[in-house]
Amino acid sequence: MSAAWIPALSLGVCLLLLPGPAGSEGAAPIAITCFTRGLDIRKEKADVLCPGGCPLDEFSVYGNIVYASVSSICGAAVHRGVISNSGGPVRVYSLPGRENYSSVDANGIQSQMLSRWSASFTVTKGKSSTQEATGQAVSTAHPPTGKRLKKTPEKKTGNKDCKADIAFLIDGSFNIGQRRFNLQKNFVGKVALMLGIGTEGPHVGLVQASEHPKIEFYLKNFTSAKDVLFAIKEVGFRGGNSNTGKALKHTAQKFFTVDAGVRKGIPKVVVVFIDGWPSDDIEEAGIVAREFGVNVFIVSVAKPIPEELGMVQDVTFVDKAVCRNNGFFSYHMPNWFGTTKYVKPLVQKLCTHEQMMCSKTCYNSVNIAFLIDGSSSVGDSNFRLMLEFVSNIAKTFEISDIGAKIAAVQFTYDQRTEFSFTDYSTKEDVLAVIRNIRYMSGGTATGDAISFTVRNVFGPIRESPNKNFLVIVTDGQSYDDVQGPAAAAHDAAK
């Protein structure tokens, strides 16, 4: 562990609970705050007094019956039913760390899952005391300096100018090894600290890639840099092949969910750390991530030497996996030593929201069908103007096989599908076919054309996750009923 890591891990203040005289079972419990955690207790057994009126929705509790030591003691006590929200005495027993702390909803508190932690505790009902649970921590110690103990700080809002939901996908394979794995964690901790994590700022989680991916903690688990740094420190090295593609696909599908803490309208970002090269196909995983609206950043370290290139499946794996191959989404460090200078540039990229091209937006997650009037009243010159108008709209969208899709139908009394949503997957091809649409000429039956388009153009993509829009470009009144088909189209879109 480097010297730079140690002060980062010691952020925040712990309450110092001093033991009473040996064998003093009748000593009054020591008052703590709502947010005093198990790790703040330095005793195998302690009697504490929880205040009343703690906000249930602000408790951080991990596990059930046995709780990770990062959990609030009072929150765990309410969760287990030892006390009510009115507070009261609690006895705390320190326990060894464990894996797989479960998530259970009990007594108004939803505890959270945690894959691993180094220490645990459990709680039972404490002995009653004449001391009131006033909500203020009372210290039984008198520091020789005369200074008062600091209160546990409230949760911070964080950097509001860097709102992002970020997954750090770290390399836990034999490629990186134990020593470089620890250096990697050190670097991730520095990045997390500089991001400005908070309730209204960036939220982060961590996934480890090895033989099989493992989500170490989710976005919702921690909303302060101090707790994130503790959690990163606790992550153990797994070893195995560097199946980064498998881990990236797992992250896109399982990590970025509402239940795991994803926020609406916030960019989803995964920062993939690769030491050397991946053992599996990362290109397909990048496609899946883009389909889920996840911005993929790749931080590559120690590129393969010429003798190793024969073992790399695809030397251009970085360009094929990132959100957009424009240089913005890839980052290279020569090794894991002296990485502090790379922290700020990476953080600046992660906080540049206007560059996030893969987040699901109106520009890349819609199906737009243009219903173009080709009747005699339009005329050839005006018809060309209509096509130019349609082209200018299409240009603004991110058209691809996993992004926005465009279709076009021309109508008179008859209808003709010029091209469907699945015919073209690049903007260049779509614009070229729009320019070459031939003018039909004839009568105007807009209602029939709407029904035709809903049935034949939108029907085959009924299961698409994109939102559907029908844009009608016409020059005048229809000879048939439009209101009925339009209402039916609205109903079909619900």
Side-chain angles (χ1 to χ4, degrees):
M1 182 178 293
S2 71
W5 180 261
I6 295 171
L9 291 180
S10 55
L11 292 176
V13 178
C14 300
L15 274 174
L16 178 63
L17 303 182
L18 299 182
S24 178
E25 289 293 327
I30 301 170
I32 61 176
T33 71
C34 298
F35 305 110
T36 301
R37 302 167 300 177
L39 58 84
D40 298 330
I41 303 290
R42 303 299 182 187
K43 299 169 62 178
E44 291 186 4
K45 180 177 69 175
D47 288 306
V48 300
L49 186 67
C50 287
C54 293
L56 297 182
D57 59 343
E58 293 187 19
F59 278 135
S60 293
V61 178
Y62 305 91
N64 179 46
I65 303 177
V66 175
Y67 301 93
S69 64
V70 73
S71 304
S72 158
I73 294 173
C74 298
V78 174
H79 182 264
R80 195 175 179 191
V82 170
I83 60 172
S84 69
N85 199 35
S86 299
V90 176
R91 177 161 288 183
V92 184
Y93 294 91
S94 296
L95 298 172
R98 60 184 293 179
E99 293 189 355
N100 300 321
Y101 294 89
S102 59
S103 173
V104 174
D105 188 352
N107 300 311
I109 296 177
Q110 174 69 60
S111 69
Q112 301 179 50
M113 290 187 299
L114 195 59
S115 61
R116 181 176 176 269
W117 201 256
S118 61
S120 310
F121 69 91
T122 190
V123 289
T124 62
K125 191 167 184 63
K127 293 190 175 182
S128 60
S129 169
T130 56
Q131 186 178 11
E132 293 183 356
T134 60
Q136 297 293 322
V138 179
S139 173
T140 61
H142 299 280
T145 59
K147 294 182 180 179
R148 299 172 63 185
L149 293 180
K150 296 180 182 179
K151 295 180 181 179
T152 302
E154 295 180 359
K155 294 183 179 180
K156 295 183 178 180
T157 57
N159 182 6
K160 296 181 181 180
D161 295 327
C162 185
K163 281 191 175 182
D165 289 338
I166 302 171
F168 292 113
L169 179 53
I170 63 173
D171 189 344
S173 69
F174 288 136
N175 268 6
I176 192 170
Q178 179 71 65
R179 185 188 181 205
R180 297 203 303 273
F181 179 78
N182 290 336
L183 292 171
Q184 176 186 216
K185 290 200 302 179
N186 190 6
F187 178 75
V188 172
K190 292 176 183 177
V191 172
L193 190 63
M194 183 169 282
L195 279 170
I197 297 167
T199 54
E200 298 181 35
H203 291 183
V204 305
L206 191 136
V207 183
Q208 185 174 173
S210 56
E211 192 73 36
H212 303 289
K214 181 182 181 184
I215 296 175
E216 302 289 354
F217 58 90
Y218 290 95
L219 295 165
K220 68 179 183 180
N221 289 149
F222 308 107
T223 54
S224 74
K226 173 184 62 177
D227 290 339
V228 167
L229 290 173
F230 272 116
I232 293 172
K233 176 179 177 290
E234 294 295 319
V235 174
F237 176 61
R238 292 176 63 81
N241 288 325
S242 54
N243 290 333
T244 309
K246 182 178 180 180
L248 176 56
K249 190 182 299 185
H250 182 77
T251 303
Q253 295 172 329
K254 304 297 183 181
F255 180 91
F256 290 103
T257 66
V258 174
D259 290 341
V262 166
R263 296 168 290 177
K264 291 183 178 180
I266 303 297
K268 294 179 288 187
V269 179
V270 57
V271 184
V272 184
F273 292 90
I274 299 178
D275 188 297
W277 64 91
S279 303
D280 59 351
D281 181 15
I282 196 172
E283 181 181 3
E284 180 187 352
I287 293 173
V288 171
R290 289 192 292 273
E291 188 171 345
F292 279 82
V294 177
N295 295 272
V296 179
F297 281 78
I298 290 188
V299 178
S300 57
V301 183
K303 291 181 178 179
I305 60 177
E307 292 78 8
E308 297 172 328
L309 289 176
M311 302 186 325
V312 183
Q313 290 189 18
D314 187 348
V315 293
T316 62
F317 65 86
V318 171
D319 293 338
K320 292 181 178 179
V322 292
C323 172
R324 181 65 61 83
N325 181 19
N326 58 4
F328 179 80
F329 294 93
S330 56
Y331 203 67
H332 178 70
M333 299 190 301
N335 53 59
W336 289 111
F337 301 96
T339 57
T340 302
K341 60 186 176 183
Y342 300 111
V343 172
K344 187 175 180 180
L346 179 58
V347 169
Q348 288 174 335
K349 285 190 173 189
L350 298 178
C351 294
T352 309
H353 291 174
E354 59 270 19
Q355 293 288 336
M356 300 295 180
M357 305 301 294
C358 288
S359 294
K360 288 292 184 182
T361 67
C362 178
Y363 295 101
N364 65 11
S365 58
V366 293
N367 300 319
I368 304 177
F370 291 98
L371 189 52
I372 305 169
D373 188 347
S375 64
S376 302
S377 59
V378 172
D380 187 69
S381 59
N382 286 332
F383 184 75
R384 292 295 135 196
L385 290 175
M386 292 168 72
L387 295 183
E388 184 179 350
F389 171 75
V390 169
S391 295
N392 288 335
I393 295 176
K395 284 178 185 176
T396 63
F397 290 88
E398 297 293 329
I399 301 170
S400 71
D401 54 346
I402 59 171
K405 300 183 188 302
I406 306 293
V409 174
Q410 185 179 174
F411 72 97
T412 56
Y413 283 141
D414 299 316
Q415 305 85 31
R416 184 173 74 199
T417 301
E418 303 294 350
F419 59 95
S420 67
F421 289 120
T422 57
D423 287 340
Y424 304 101
S425 59
T426 68
K427 185 180 297 187
E428 292 73 19
D429 289 343
V430 167
L431 295 179
V433 73
I434 290 174
R435 285 194 299 269
N436 292 323
I437 292 176
R438 293 179 291 105
Y439 178 43
M440 288 174 64
S441 187
T444 308
T446 309
D448 284 348
I450 293 174
S451 299
F452 173 88
T453 306
V454 170
R455 182 174 62 254
N456 297 290
V457 178
F458 287 104
I461 59 156
R462 191 173 291 108
E463 302 302 320
S464 170
N466 290 0
K467 291 186 176 180
N468 296 325
F469 293 89
L470 175 60
V471 179
I472 304 172
V473 187
T474 182
D475 81 329
Q477 187 172 355
S478 174
Y479 290 104
D480 65 350
D481 173 57
V482 176
Q483 187 172 359
H490 280 291
D491 292 339
K494 292 180 181 178

